[in-house]
Amino acid sequence: MTLKQALLRLVVSLLGLGNFWLWIRWGKGLALQDQVTDTIVVKLTKDESKELNLHRKAG
């Protein structure tokens, strides 16, 4: 995710407006901030994270 995408997600999701979009478009599964920035949030378990080496600090 780029800095621009992150900032745009932040602005769109303020006050819950992005999640309110989910109620309007029920069943689509994407909040407004997901659609505007062409990104999605993925929740991983600790084991999945370890398999992908996401648990290690960069550097």
Side-chain angles (χ1 to χ4, degrees), residues 42-59:
V42 178
K43 183 177 178 181
L44 300 174
T45 65
K46 285 186 179 183
D47 291 334
E48 290 169 333
S49 176
K50 286 179 183 178
E51 287 178 21
L52 297 171
N53 291 324
L54 299 176
H55 67 288
R56 295 184 184 168
K57 291 185 178 178

Side-chain angles (χ1 to χ4, degrees), residues 2-57:
T2 66
L3 180 59
K4 181 180 176 181
Q5 286 174 315
L7 292 174
L8 191 54
R9 281 187 68 87
L10 176 66
V11 170
V12 174
S13 65
L14 285 176
L15 303 174
L17 296 176
N19 294 325
F20 181 69
W21 183 254
L22 287 171
W23 291 352
I24 296 170
R25 299 193 39 143
W26 191 257
K28 300 293 183 189
L30 294 175
L32 184 59
Q33 61 266 26
D34 298 329
Q35 294 176 5
V36 170
T37 60
D38 196 29
T39 60
I40 60 171
V41 175
V42 178
K43 183 177 178 181
L44 300 174
T45 65
K46 285 186 179 183
D47 291 334
E48 290 169 333
S49 176
K50 286 179 183 178
E51 287 178 21
L52 297 171
N53 291 324
L54 299 176
H55 67 288
R56 295 184 184 168
K57 291 185 178 178

